[in-house]
Amino acid sequence: KLTKYVEKNKKNPVYMYTDLMREGTDEQLIEAINIILKKYKQPKIQAIYGANAAILQKDFEAARCKVKPVANTELGQYTMALIEAMTGKREEAMKFHLKKDWMNASIEANLAYTEQDYETFNRQADRAIDEAAGMQYYSNYYVFKRMMDKINEA
């Protein structure tokens, strides 16, 4: 159901980006983010999507700078924890108090991925997917599928 909805609405840059998470390359995702950033000037969108583009490029310092304007929001806190997790900084990643179960599971999954603990990664990724709903479920499913594909390619 969600896949059909996303496909039907991919003229909207946000849904185009979401659809590319399913089968696009990192380069295509970055390109889609750039379209979002040109179209939507709201500070929250600029911060979160700007940080996402930097994360995809593995420029974690730039990601930290991009997310700063929304650091006190729930999504800002999650993004900052995610950056710490993706750089293997377990202690720093766990300092953030995330209210949603899917966010905590996602951080744990990303830490496990970085630590190459793939059993924990699978368990926490499944939890992050199961605890989410709607578009977040869709996003989590394909983000973690992309990560699993990278594990299987190695």
Side-chain angles (χ1 to χ4, degrees):
K1 243 169 135 177
L2 278 173
T3 301
K4 284 182 184 176
Y5 180 81
V6 169
E7 285 177 352
K8 186 175 153 191
N9 290 287
K10 64 181 173 184
K11 285 184 181 174
N12 175 314
V14 173
Y15 290 112
M16 176 178 54
Y17 168 75
T18 306
D19 187 54
L20 285 168
M21 287 168 53
R22 185 167 47 95
E23 55 191 22
T25 64
D26 286 355
E27 292 75 23
Q28 289 172 316
L29 285 168
I30 292 164
E31 205 174 295
I33 289 171
N34 288 332
I35 293 168
I36 292 167
L37 294 174
K38 281 181 191 149
K39 182 168 181 167
Y40 302 103
K41 299 300 181 188
Q42 297 94 325
K44 185 176 179 180
I45 290 175
Q46 291 289 313
I48 298 300
Y49 282 96
N52 284 347
I55 288 169
L56 281 166
Q57 295 167 322
K58 304 211 182 322
D59 186 348
F60 298 106
E61 212 42 59
R64 284 184 185 95
C65 291
K66 297 275 186 190
V67 78
K68 272 185 186 167
V70 295
N72 293 326
T73 68
E74 187 175 38
L75 203 48
Q77 292 281 298
Y78 169 72
T79 303
M80 292 189 309
L82 183 61
I83 292 164
E84 300 308 328
M86 293 180 83
T87 55
K89 296 178 180 170
R90 176 173 282 282
E91 222 172 278
E92 288 87 341
M94 299 311 290
K95 286 180 183 175
F96 296 92
H97 301 287
L98 306 173
K99 293 179 180 132
K100 294 188 172 133
D101 288 339
W102 73 261
M103 290 180 171
N104 287 302
S106 174
I107 297 307
E108 287 289 350
N110 276 278
L111 283 164
Y113 183 86
T114 303
E115 295 162 355
Q116 298 183 345
D117 176 356
Y118 300 128
E119 186 179 319
T120 301
F121 166 77
N122 281 324
R123 190 172 59 254
Q124 293 297 336
D126 285 346
R127 196 174 126 229
I129 293 163
D130 292 342
E131 295 289 339
M135 291 306 295
Q136 193 59 58
Y137 173 92
Y138 185 95
S139 295
N140 286 2
Y141 179 85
Y142 287 108
V143 163
F144 291 118
K145 183 184 181 311
R146 291 169 73 84
M147 293 169 80
M148 182 54 68
D149 289 348
K150 287 180 182 174
I151 292 168
N152 292 333
E153 287 170 10

